[in-house]
């Protein structure tokens, strides 16, 4: 069995959002898909360790915001590698309440959903949501999971349903420097050691000191 077969599945990159007692919360998800058109439903797979999971359970609602290719990578770093338990993610990026749910203004489109069914797996809950409001809010190309990985050099969080140790790395003639917060691997032309002291991870925004030599 060649598990790399699963890397050939295609996805988008989305923000799932909900409320925590009036506070907006959310996380990145690649697992969102339309299930039926009448009624209009979408399904998302959410790790039970994510704070957003508890908030979707409590409110019975979630919004899916479709991200654009031009999305600031720091938004993905913040929503995909930090928890709403201790970070007020929506205070860092502008949002509006649409369909009674917090939706990032940087999005291309959103769907506001009411949970109508759920299915428990070993690690994730699959929520089926009926769409009660949706609209286009921006212009541009939707970000695909492949674009996120290949162009932005983004990594997948351990809580994503698609997570597993990355494919084998090709041998390199210089040391690898990997962000311990989001997994971004530095691949710039300037050697890592020569980057200025105020250089920041382009994905999650932490400083050089959070990078590990491997
Ligand atoms: C590219 C990417 C895809 C992700 N996909 C999912 C997903 O489909 N489902 C999920 O539960 N978590 C997914 N995650 C992980 C969550 O976004 C992450 O655990 C987040 O920090 C949870 O935040 P929260 O505690 O505020 O909910 C993904 C992360 C990244 C970077």
């Amino acid at each position: 069995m060649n598990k790399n077969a699963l890397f050939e599945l295609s996805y988008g990159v989305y923000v799932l959002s909900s409320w925590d007692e009036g506070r907006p919360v959310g996380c990145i998800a690649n697992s969102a898909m339309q299930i039926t058109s009448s009624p209009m439903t979408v399904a998302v797979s959410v790790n039970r360790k994510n704070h957003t999971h508890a908030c979707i359970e409590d409110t019975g609602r979630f919004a899916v915001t479709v991200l654009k290719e031009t999305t600031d990578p720091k938004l993905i770093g913040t929503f995909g590698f930090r928890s709403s338990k201790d970070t007020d993610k929506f205070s860092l990026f502008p949002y509006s309440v649409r369909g009674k749910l917090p939706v990032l203004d940087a999005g291309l489109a959103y769907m506001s959903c009411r949970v109508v069914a759920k299915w428990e797996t070993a690690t994730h809950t699959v929520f089926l949501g009926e769409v009660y409001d949706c609209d286009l809010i921006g212009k541009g190309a939707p970000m695909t999971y492949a674009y996120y990985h290949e162009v932005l050099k983004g990594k997948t969080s351990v809580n994503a349903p698609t997570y597993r140790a990355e494919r084998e790395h090709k041998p390199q003639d210089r040391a690898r420097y990997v962000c311990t917060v989001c997994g971004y691997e530095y691949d710039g032309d300037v050697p890592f050691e020569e980057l200025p002291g105020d250089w920041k991870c382009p994905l999650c925004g932490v400083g050089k000191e959070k990078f590990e030599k491997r």
Side-chain angles (χ1 to χ4, degrees):
M1 189 158 82
N2 182 353
K3 291 184 184 169
N4 281 337
L6 278 87
F7 278 124
E8 303 304 335
L9 289 171
S10 304
Y11 308 92
V13 181
Y14 312 102
V15 170
L16 289 185
S17 55
S18 195
W19 297 109
D20 177 3
E21 297 182 350
R23 187 174 69 94
V25 292
C27 69
I28 296 289
N30 62 278
S31 63
M33 65 185 291
Q34 183 168 359
I35 302 295
T36 57
S37 57
S38 182
M40 202 161 26
T41 58
V42 294
V44 292
S45 171
V46 191
N47 196 301
R48 279 192 287 279
K49 289 183 183 159
N50 288 348
H51 188 57
T52 308
H53 181 282
C55 301
I56 296 176
E57 285 275 16
D58 284 354
T59 59
R61 284 169 196 255
F62 63 88
V64 176
T65 302
V66 180
L67 297 181
K68 303 178 210 175
E69 279 184 354
T70 51
T71 301
D72 181 353
K74 288 200 185 94
L75 186 152
I76 302 177
T78 304
F79 279 81
F81 293 93
R82 295 187 187 173
S83 180
S84 317
K85 250 185 232 158
D86 42 47
T87 307
D88 199 358
K89 303 180 190 180
F90 280 86
S91 69
L92 305 172
F93 300 92
Y95 74 97
S96 307
V97 176
R98 299 176 188 268
K100 299 186 178 158
L101 287 160
V103 169
L104 289 164
D105 294 343
L108 186 59
Y110 74 93
M111 289 123 240
S112 298
C113 307
R114 173 180 313 112
V115 176
V116 290
K118 57 183 187 171
W119 181 53
E120 299 298 341
T121 71
T123 52
H124 290 64
T125 302
V126 179
F127 292 104
L128 180 69
E130 185 168 337
V131 179
Y132 63 85
D133 186 36
C134 55
D135 206 350
L136 296 169
I137 53 171
K139 286 201 167 69
M143 186 182 293
T144 63
Y145 197 55
Y147 183 93
Y148 170 71
H149 282 285
E150 284 155 26
V151 183
L152 298 186
K153 308 283 182 210
K155 303 291 175 192
T156 299
S157 149
V158 72
N159 286 346
T162 45
Y163 176 80
R164 84 185 165 79
E166 302 290 331
R167 290 182 215 232
E168 294 254 306
H169 284 279
K170 292 186 192 131
Q172 286 179 330
D173 53 5
R174 71 179 195 198
R176 296 168 53 221
Y177 285 86
V178 178
C179 177
T180 53
V181 175
C182 72
Y184 172 83
E185 183 173 340
Y186 176 72
D187 69 349
D189 295 334
V190 178
F192 186 82
E193 299 82 352
E194 292 170 26
L195 289 171
D198 60 355
W199 182 88
K200 302 251 184 293
C201 173
L203 197 54
C204 71
V206 297
K208 279 181 82 175
E209 70 287 353
K210 295 281 185 196
F211 276 67
E212 212 172 70
K213 190 174 178 180
R214 297 201 180 148

